[in-house]
Amino acid sequence: MAGFNRIEDAGDLTGKTALVRVDFNVPMDGGRVTDDTRLRAALDTVQTLRTSGAKVALLAHFGRPKGERIAEMSLAPIAPAFSKVLGSPVSFVGDCRGDAVKAAIDALPPAGVILLENTRFHAGEESGDEALAAEIAALGDLYINDAFSAAHRAHASTAGVAKILQAYAGKSMERELDALDKALGTPETPVLAVVGGAKVSSKIDLLKNLVTKVDALAIGGGMANTFLHARGHSVGKSLCERDLSDTAKEIEAIARGHGCDILLPRDLVVAKDFAANAANRTCGLDEVADDEMILDAGPQSVAILATAMDVANTLVWNGPLGAFEIEPFDKATVQAAQAAGARAKSGKLVAVAGGGDTVAALNHASAADDFTFVSTAGGAFLEWMEGKALPGVEALKS
Ligand code: AMP
């Protein structure tokens, strides 16, 4: 996305305090960080700011304390974990507003780093309270948002502070916004979208938005069953939202109106049980028996999807093409992900994926590293795919 403020636009930061909103909502076990991916994601921003002379005060949330101080949701254990990743001291202060916090920031050495306590310990965080935003803003000279995953929320520490202080995208946020722009903002056409997953009902807005923007939309997973049923095909006892037939037809009509091809599975892998290694067979449309369920797309469908990827210059992907957690019903997802990854790796395809189970599915296929960009932001990524304006991103626009 062009037109948002980047750290480079902030000029010389010597002696300034940067308030940096990060995503430190890391998996923890008994006070120990079990996966430091999100801590490492903040490194580039923090080091860039320190190099240009700024002190760094980190703002983050953890869990859902709903405005209460809950000891298990304190960010205190994250400070030493981030210090280890940073290779430099990171202090901690038990609030994110007020005089004691200001004093702790003032006491930092040049280029010092401090982590402030869980912003969600204040009820005003999630309600986007302006007074809380003003108190947080009073702690710094400029604001950096590096937490795309929280950008769909109009919270005090995401959108509120950005309205008061000059606001810039951090390095992770910048990479995310640039990748999203390449995928749907100003993509190289033709653009192919792949949307799978369990249900149409959770992705109606997403599907309606995508068919107005992309050249072809491949629908897979349980949600394809709803579309197949709406087209009059038998789906046996498959996961299928029969009450959404009209919605499926409406989405197909919008797609036709925008010249978007809808690709549905042409062959299916069916089983009588939803279980790993359940006896299964591959069949054509209208060959699903009443006591069978569709658990994956067949090889012909994967071949058609791979051909669509071959002609596409851009791919945006959300959701698995089958019940990928149970073998052998992971096959279509794995093969399609590997085909996309190989083409992206060879530089012929911009492949961007994200949302929910998608990261797990691409990792399962060992394809995530080959994609151009894989977003780990679940909700924010989906809202972006729905075409919604994200308050935390809007606030960074120049
Ligand atoms: P979502 O969170 O909407 O992306 O859905 C992901 C879930 O959909 C995964 O847990 C898959 O196992 C499930 N899924 C995909 N295809 C099917 C299918 N044909 N039948 C049942 N579940 C499916």
Side-chain angles (χ1 to χ4, degrees), residues 196-199 202-203 221-222 225 239 274 294-296 318-325 357:
K199 290 181 171 178
S202 60
K203 294 182 187 170
N225 303 340
L239 174 64
F274 188 93
I294 304 163
L295 291 180
D296 201 9
N318 167 262
L321 302 179
F324 79 101
E325 299 96 335
D357 279 337

Side-chain angles (χ1 to χ4, degrees), residues 60-385:
H61 75 275
F62 187 81
R64 300 211 160 127
K66 302 249 169 240
E68 299 197 14
R69 276 191 172 268
I70 296 177
E72 299 77 57
M73 294 184 193
S74 170
L75 285 171
I78 312 276
F82 187 56
S83 171
K84 201 167 147 197
V85 167
L86 188 65
S88 186
V90 175
S91 49
F92 176 77
V93 59
D95 206 341
C96 66
R97 66 165 186 194
D99 294 341
V101 180
K102 181 86 177 109
I105 293 172
D106 287 345
L108 286 176
V113 181
I114 188 167
L115 175 61
L116 314 191
E117 182 58 288
N118 196 341
T119 52
R120 290 191 184 170
F121 281 180
H122 295 285
E125 162 69 333
E126 293 197 58
S127 65
D129 182 48
E130 288 178 14
L132 176 62
E135 282 189 279
I136 297 172
L139 299 169
D141 302 301
L142 69 157
Y143 172 79
I144 314 285
N145 193 342
D146 210 23
F148 178 79
S149 58
H152 55 318
R153 312 277 190 218
H155 290 177
S157 75
T158 58
V161 182
K163 285 188 193 138
I164 302 167
L165 293 177
Q166 187 64 43
Y168 306 86
K171 293 291 177 185
S172 287
M173 173 74 90
E174 185 176 326
R175 273 191 289 277
E176 183 107 25
L177 296 182
D178 285 340
L180 299 189
D181 186 59
K182 269 204 232 161
L184 279 187
T186 52
E188 215 181 300
T189 56
V191 184
L192 168 68
V194 173
V195 179
K199 290 181 171 178
V200 171
S201 53
S202 60
K203 294 182 187 170
I204 295 173
D205 290 345
L206 183 153
L207 293 168
K208 282 185 177 169
N209 180 48
L210 283 181
V211 294
T212 68
K213 295 210 167 134
V214 303
D215 301 288
L217 167 66
I219 300 172
M223 70 166 63
N225 303 340
T226 302
F227 281 84
L228 292 175
H229 170 75
R231 283 188 184 185
H233 298 294
S234 60
V235 296
K237 61 170 186 174
S238 301
L239 174 64
C240 176
E241 293 170 294
R242 290 177 160 75
D243 55 328
L244 288 186
S245 279
D246 286 345
T247 303
K249 285 179 193 158
E250 187 197 346
I251 291 166
E252 294 224 42
I254 300 172
R256 271 194 301 279
H258 284 84
C260 169
D261 284 335
I262 298 270
L263 305 177
L264 283 175
R266 303 276 184 92
D267 57 345
L268 308 160
V269 179
V270 298
K272 289 184 180 166
D273 302 304
F274 188 93
N277 303 312
N280 63 84
R281 68 187 185 98
T282 300
C283 68
L285 303 180
D286 295 320
E287 290 171 12
V288 184
D290 288 349
D291 62 348
E292 288 177 322
M293 64 185 109
I294 304 163
L295 291 180
D296 201 9
Q300 206 191 324
S301 308
V302 176
I304 289 166
L305 186 50
T307 305
M309 285 174 186
D310 281 345
V311 296
N313 281 313
T314 305
L315 168 73
V316 52
W317 184 330
N318 167 262
L321 302 179
F324 79 101
E325 299 96 335
I326 51 171
E327 285 181 19
F329 309 107
D330 58 342
K331 238 182 224 162
T333 303
V334 167
Q335 289 173 353
Q338 288 175 349
R343 212 171 136 73
K345 198 174 176 184
S346 71
K348 292 181 187 139
L349 181 73
V350 171
V352 173
D357 279 337
T358 313
V359 182
L362 297 187
N363 282 333
H364 174 72
S366 305
D369 289 347
D370 294 338
F371 270 59
T372 314
F373 188 80
V374 178
S375 174
T376 54
F381 186 87
L382 291 177
E383 287 202 21
W384 164 78
M385 273 184 110

